Amino acid sequence: MTDQSHIRNFAIIAHIDHGKSTLADRLIEKAGTLAAREMKEQFLDSMDLERERGITIKAHAVRLEYKAKDGETYILNLMDTPGHVDFAYEVSRSLAACEGSILLVDASQGVEAQTLANVYLALDADHEIVTVLNKVDLPSAEPDRIRQQIEDVIGLDASDSIAVSAKTGQGVDEVLEALVKQLPPPAGDPDAPLRALLVDSWYDAYLGVVALIRVVDGTLTKGQRIRMMSTGTAHPVERVGIFTPKGVMIDALGPGEIGFITASIKSVADCKVGDTLTDDRVPARKVLAGFKPSVPVVFCGLFPVDAADYDDLRESLARLALNDSSFHYEPETSAALGFGFRCGCLGLLHLEIVQERLEREFDLDLITTAPSVVYKIGLTNAEHIELHNPADYPEPMRIDTIAEPWIKATIMAPDEYLGGILSLCTERRGEQVELTYVGDRAMVVYMLPLNEVVFDFYDRLKSISRGYASFDYEISEYREGDLVKVGILVNTEPVDALALITHKTQAERRGRQLCERLKTLIPRQLFKIAIQASIGGKVIARETVSALRKDVTAKCYGGDITRKRKLLEKQKKGKKRMRQFGQVEIPQSAFLEALRMEDR
């Protein structure tokens, strides 16, 4: 075990694309844990999706050994975190396992929305912060202006911030020295009963559940019997290891160390992120402060294309939820789509990533319904039901009242974007509660219907404010409203997965947008395809996908015109029959694309 005074635990936090994963690469290179031939760009982004999209989705932990200028060898536990707002829960969990953070700011772009959001998370976790300015090798870099901006906007002293280029490696040695000198060593009593925080977990086909842990007190050894304090289940520890970044087996982890264990945990339910692990024979009395549960923003239905895959989908969701604790799911049934699950995600990007991971990692074909919220419906027979899926909307004549959830939203943004943000909130049926200023940043509190937020509110807010606005909310109440179900018909067949519930005043605009969007997404056939939006039996919008024309007269050279006319008439009759019996296949990608409705 390592001497506690020689351990430093830190996370790298920044806005999207400010260079977190590239800086992590340089730190791994300097610490010399990988041979040059094993090194690749964004080494810690191991998931295919991360490498394809160029974003970090999962936080990753790695242990580095660094020989400082004072001759001492230090253990550095690095957590590389995501930058996108949909994965903020990953960031908060990583920060709970560390004592300090590197705040990485792009020297040309400066402080941005997630820079602020993440630095506030780090300050809430009582972190010591080392400020680093990245990309100083770019011609557009203005390190002096950005230092001043950090002091003005965040309030941190940036006079001793380190100028680096993560791409070339310039300044990385100074970062390592600053980590050793400025960050505090972890506190913890090696003689106290074991207390370890379960930071993350994932499923391995050969080892079962693998848990990433941070030891706070006591010692965790191979062969020890541990107990999960929230569930009370006990398991023998089979392996104890660290990531360097390759998995290396060791005998024990002491206070302040971060590593992984496997412990014959067969059931996914026994491994809850944020739980405290303790010794089964000498248990600790007090649990560690875990993580606040994440609040899903977007709900949607996931159904297998083949009903026989339902059990596979259930098992896959359990394994995915083990690896992504901000993802929630529960079983649901649909008259049209059969058995499936209602899933809660933190945003549309999160939903897209979840769907792609299920299809790639677990080889499933899925139908995703439109994102929505939970409505409370009062029927005319005095019965009350909760509606999770617009496809299960009762007959309009049976409905007495329908209530939707409203949220209390807090939006912070620079003053110059305030006008656009206020008009966006008003357009979404918002009611302003208060407007105050924090320096040159406006803080506006609005009551908003959650239904208006789940579709593209985040995207619109970010584009209006150029990414500077931060958005937080809490569920406030249920209010009755004039809500209707907008159904989508393709070739007169209802498409349940695209049905949505909206306010009567927004119904026609939403229906028209969806029809226009589907017109560009549905492939053309040899017959015309009618796309209609309807409320009950009344069509409120329509678009037509024109037919592909096969030239049946190509083989007629000259001669009598009646021959050509006869062939064209025959083609017309065939098309009419095709339209009656033709099946229109809507590609899966069209479902998600149709829902990303930009207001025109």
Side-chain angles (χ1 to χ4, degrees), residues 49-114:
L49 269 174
E50 291 179 315
R51 302 197 73 78
E52 281 171 27
R53 288 172 179 253
I55 58 172
T56 303
I57 294 167
K58 286 291 298 173
H60 300 274
V62 61
R63 175 164 161 155
L64 311 172
E65 279 192 21
Y66 171 63
K67 191 161 187 181
K69 288 178 181 171
D70 60 9
E72 298 284 339
T73 300
Y74 290 86
I75 296 295
L76 306 178
N77 287 308
L78 150 71
M79 303 282 272
D80 178 26
T81 63
H84 199 282
V85 66
D86 279 20
F87 308 113
Y89 195 60
E90 284 285 323
V91 180
S92 65
R93 293 210 325 273
S94 304
L95 296 177
C98 303
E99 285 80 37
S101 295
I102 291 178
L103 172 64
L104 197 64
V105 182
D106 186 320
S108 57
Q109 292 180 345
V111 175
E112 295 195 51
Q114 282 308 107

Side-chain angles (χ1 to χ4, degrees), residues 30-60:
K30 289 279 180 189
T33 48
L34 283 176
R37 63 186 168 78
E38 294 175 296
M39 200 66 208
K40 59 184 176 185
E41 282 186 26
Q42 280 87 42
F43 186 88
L44 295 178
D45 290 348
S46 52
M47 209 188 294
D48 287 345
L49 269 174
E50 291 179 315
R51 302 197 73 78
E52 281 171 27
R53 288 172 179 253
I55 58 172
T56 303
I57 294 167
K58 286 291 298 173
H60 300 274

Side-chain angles (χ1 to χ4, degrees), residues 303 332-340 369 389 391-392 496:
F303 295 85
E332 77 161 348
T333 51
S334 153
L337 300 169
F339 291 99
T369 65
N389 192 339
D392 302 328
D496 279 344

Side-chain angles (χ1 to χ4, degrees), residues 31 63 80 108 188 203 346 419 489 515 550:
R63 175 164 161 155
D80 178 26
S108 57
Y203 193 85
L346 295 183
L489 305 167
C515 288
K550 186 180 174 188

